[in-house]
């Protein structure tokens, strides 16, 4: 390959300058991109919104609807508090909104929506090459040993 | 490697159906002894080109995160943990190869691989011996039948198989879980060591390294494990046992084995005048044409239900209930391991940190059976017993709160959880059975199975005890945030199916003798787990292989004596 960067199958379409969402409406995609970057910084460069759109395009109708509902709940909350959709908020407004939704009572509709979107965003970011490397992944998958317990006698009590 | 070759029109000495754990061993044992063997496999040839154990998720189109993609063609096979976007095409297409169940008895028939090597491509590798306490359980508690052989009959074959496949393990001196020929053990983690020590001290139970077919020393051109993790996606260094690159490769190397792939065996052909098997009828999966192949001896190693499906589909006017079924028990006494009960708890990290860049041990821990053992008082609630598989792992904190950089930082806080899942021996019952569903054929025109499987009161009581005992042990070890699961909402059985062509001394109550030879047809053998008379809680594959080699040695003796 002579140093040519590998283009991975999963990223070829996502990185295209002509990329268009398969499932999300354009304004939903823009909101997701902003939200992803705010929840997991680095998401825009890692094409998180584009990968989520790809996953949603082949997912079940129930999960598609749940995702859109979660996105709508956060959009509505932003609109209610600041009169604008998420992608149009200032940095401090986004921070205020995410602080509120991420600390809302557990199992409230707004908290559930936040956690649902966070799971999609974090799952997509940390399965990207950038995200996996952040968690320590390297191409080397050969290890000479497994670091087990070397002092079992200390665990006798 | 493992290139298929054209089958001969002339009869082979032995036809073997299926190239998994038993079929691979039968081919190796018989071909290396000089017999001309044809090995007929429903799946495709396997090779290192198909292995993806080092491929990161981001190289997959959907990063193994789009379950609907697999469900389109594998709605059942995708339920097995070992089936993923990486390898789901190793499994049968559930649409092409359906089966049926009664509406009130859902059953997931998992692990139906369609590759040379069969289920050993993706198996969990746990390799445990049975003991006489298992093989003669009926004499101890009065349920079912004893096996027609004893531990001393199997022990030398366990030795032989373990030395060849390579089993990492720790000797424990337990009568109910005999020690074997182990390679050096992979180490336990600190948390597992704490658990092992405290469970032994406080409850007298044995927690050990799960005895597993992963090399820790090189042998036969295979390298020691390099701890990359996902064995079920293959292994370029051949460090776990997989028939495709071990037994089948040896059989091919002998020059006496013809491998015939992509062919679904429909039925055993019978010479009606002599009452002998003369070959098999199979369907070419690519052309869907029927073909025949002939052998002086036929050995079915197709997986428990599949072998019995072939026999049930081989009925003739002389054998209307299926071939080798004069007893009427063929297809009955279907057994597996009742599973999905267990527990989990958290332990201190003790300096360990999570990473995606470190070694992964392909082996867990095993908790040996402690209910209804030889020197224990009998349980009031159930017969037989169970063992647990489990292990500790250091994970990222996936529940880290918040968002932004603070969330990314909190993600790295180590979470150490020790989990365990029980595998319970099922009692053989007549009303758990498989039969041919005459209303449905698969894509190859072969009538499919209807599977009737349910847990009885004994299994339900064991699943409850599995959950409660898991909590008891986690508490003894000082775990925090302990969770218990006792009964799955839908019954779940491990892919450890057995019993549907059981062995026995009495031809009226069994299909096979102790050498897995059908009572009815002298040159017809069934060498997979369908032969098991009962299904002890230990994982079955090591015993499948030991029984198979023993039966092959018997077959060769009988051939020399002109008795087959």
């Amino acid at each position: 390959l002579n140093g040519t960067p590998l283009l991975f199958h999963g990223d070829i379409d996502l990185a295209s300058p002509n990329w268009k969402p398969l499932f999300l409406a354009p304004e939903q995609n823009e909101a997701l991109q902003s939200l992803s970057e705010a929840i997991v910084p680095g998401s825009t460069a890692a094409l998180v919104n584009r990968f989520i759109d790809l996953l949603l395009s082949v997912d079940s109708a129930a999960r598609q609807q749940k995702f859109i509902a979660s996105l709508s709940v956060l959009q509505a909350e932003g609109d209610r508090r600041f009169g604008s959709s998420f992608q149009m908020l200032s940095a401090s407004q986004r921070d205020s909104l995410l602080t509120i939704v991420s600390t809302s009572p557990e199992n409230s509709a707004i908290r559930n929506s936040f956690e649902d979107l966070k799971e999609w965003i974090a799952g997509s970011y940390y399965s990207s090459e950038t995200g996996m490397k952040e968690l320590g992944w390297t191409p080397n998958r050969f290890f000479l040993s497994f670091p087990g317990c070397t002092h079992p006698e200390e665990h006798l009590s | 490697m493992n290139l298929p070759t054209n089958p001969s029109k002339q009869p082979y000495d032995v036809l073997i159906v299926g190239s998994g754990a038993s079929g691979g061993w039968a081919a190796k044992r018989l071909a290396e002894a000089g017999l001309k063997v044809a090995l007929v496999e429903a799946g495709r040839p396997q090779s290192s080109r198909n292995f993806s154990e080092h491929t990161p998720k981001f190289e997959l189109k959907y990063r193994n995160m789009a379950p609907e993609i697999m469900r389109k063609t594998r709605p059942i096979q995708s339920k097995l943990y070992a089936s993923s976007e990486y390898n789901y095409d190793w499994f049968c297409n559930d649409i092409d190869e359906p089966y049926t169940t009664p509406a009130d008895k859902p059953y997931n028939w998992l692990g139906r691989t369609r590759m040379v090597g069969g289920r050993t491509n993706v198996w969990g590798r746990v390799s445990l011996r049975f003991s006489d306490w298992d093989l003669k359980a009926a004499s101890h508690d009065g349920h079912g039948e004893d096996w027609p052989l004893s531990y001393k009959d199997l022990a030398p074959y366990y030795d032989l198989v373990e030395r060849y496949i390579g089993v990492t393990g720790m000797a424990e001196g337990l009568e109910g879980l005999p020690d074997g020929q182990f390679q050096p053990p992979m180490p336990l983690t600190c948390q597992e060591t704490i658990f092992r020590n405290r469970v032994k001290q406080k409850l007298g139970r044995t927690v050990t390294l799960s005895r597993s077919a992963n090399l820790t020393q090189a042998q036969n051109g295979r390298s020691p494990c390099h701890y990359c993790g996902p064995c079920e996606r293959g292994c370029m260094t051949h460090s776990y046992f997989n028939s495709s690159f071990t037994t089948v490769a040896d059989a091919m190397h002998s020059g006496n084995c013809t491998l015939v792939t992509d062919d679904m065996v429909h039925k055993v052909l019978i010479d009606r005048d002599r009452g002998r098997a003369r070959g098999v009828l199979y369907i070419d999966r690519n052309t869907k044409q029927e073909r025949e192949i002939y052998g002086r001896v036929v050995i079915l190693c197709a997986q428990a239900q599949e072998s019995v499906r072939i026999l049930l589909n081989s009925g003739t006017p002389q054998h209307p209930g299926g071939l080798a079924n004069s007893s009427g028990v063929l297809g009955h006494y279907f057994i597996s391991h009742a599973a999905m009960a267990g527990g989990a708890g958290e332990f201190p990290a003790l300096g360990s940190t999570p990473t995606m860049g470190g070694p992964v041990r392909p082996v867990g821990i095993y908790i040996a059976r402690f209910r209804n053992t030889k020197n224990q008082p009998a349980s009031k609630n159930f017969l037989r017993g169970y063992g647990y598989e489990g292990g500790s792992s250091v994970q990222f904190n996936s529940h880290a709160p918040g968002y932004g950089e603070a969330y990314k930082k909190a993600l790295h806080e180590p979470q150490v959880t020790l989990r365990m899942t029980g595998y319970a021996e099922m009692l053989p019952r007549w009303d758990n059975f498989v039969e041919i569903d005459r209303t449905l054929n698969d894509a190859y025109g072969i009538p499919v199975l209807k599977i009737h499987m349910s847990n009885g009161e004994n299994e339900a009581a064991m699943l409850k005890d599995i959950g409660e005992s898991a909590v008891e042990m986690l508490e003894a070890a000082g775990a925090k945030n302990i969770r218990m699961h006792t009964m799955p909402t839908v019954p779940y059985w491990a892919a450890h199916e057995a019993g549907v062509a059981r062995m026995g001394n009495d031809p009226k109550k069994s299909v096979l003798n102790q050498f897995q030879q059908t009572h009815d047809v002298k040159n017809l053998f069934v060498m997979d787990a369908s032969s098991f008379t009962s299904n002890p809680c230990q994982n079955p594959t090591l015993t499948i292989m030991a029984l198979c080699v023993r039966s092959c040695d018997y077959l060769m003796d009988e051939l020399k004596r002109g008795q087959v």
Side-chain angles (χ1 to χ4, degrees), chain B residues 466-477:
Chain B
I466 286 170
E468 292 168 354
S469 298
V471 170
E472 183 185 28
M473 290 186 281
L474 288 162
E475 285 176 347

Side-chain angles (χ1 to χ4, degrees), chain A residues 90-143:
Chain A
S90 69
S92 64
Q93 287 172 326
R94 286 178 193 177
D95 200 42
S96 297
L97 179 63
L98 286 176
T99 300
I100 290 164
V101 299
S102 67
T103 55
S104 294
E106 284 188 23
N107 296 322
S108 61
I110 198 163
R111 178 71 178 272
N112 284 347
S113 298
F114 168 76
E115 299 295 347
D116 182 33
L117 294 171
K118 182 178 160 184
E119 191 176 332
W120 279 91
I121 292 163
S124 298
Y125 180 78
Y126 287 110
S127 61
S128 73
E129 183 171 5
T130 305
M132 282 181 62
K133 283 180 172 170
E134 234 174 77
L135 299 184
W137 178 86
T138 73
N140 173 39
R141 301 307 301 156
F142 283 84
F143 305 95

Side-chain angles (χ1 to χ4, degrees), chain A residues 20-95:
Chain A
K20 286 190 174 57
L22 294 165
F23 172 76
L24 295 167
E27 62 275 14
Q28 290 170 330
N29 174 56
E30 287 169 23
L32 175 62
Q33 184 175 346
S34 302
L35 197 59
S36 299
E37 186 65 29
I39 292 177
V40 181
S43 285
T44 302
L47 305 174
V48 162
N49 58 308
R50 297 185 179 195
F51 181 64
I52 290 175
D53 175 75
L54 175 69
L55 289 182
L56 285 167
S57 73
V58 294
D59 213 333
S60 66
R63 279 170 51 87
Q64 287 174 338
Q65 286 161 12
K66 183 166 181 250
F67 181 90
I68 295 299
S70 295
L71 192 60
S72 300
V73 167
L74 258 70
Q75 287 284 64
E77 188 66 15
D79 199 41
R80 189 174 72 80
R81 290 182 180 273
F82 303 108
S84 185
S85 59
F86 193 88
Q87 62 270 34
M88 304 300 287
L89 300 180
S90 69
S92 64
Q93 287 172 326
R94 286 178 193 177
D95 200 42

Side-chain angles (χ1 to χ4, degrees), chain A residues 39 41 95 118 135 149 156, chain B residues 63 188 201 356 400 403-404 408:
Chain A
I39 292 177
D95 200 42
K118 182 178 160 184
L135 299 184
C149 177
L156 283 174
Chain B
R63 303 179 195 166
L188 300 177
Q201 283 168 352
M356 276 191 177
Y403 63 94
K408 289 179 86 167

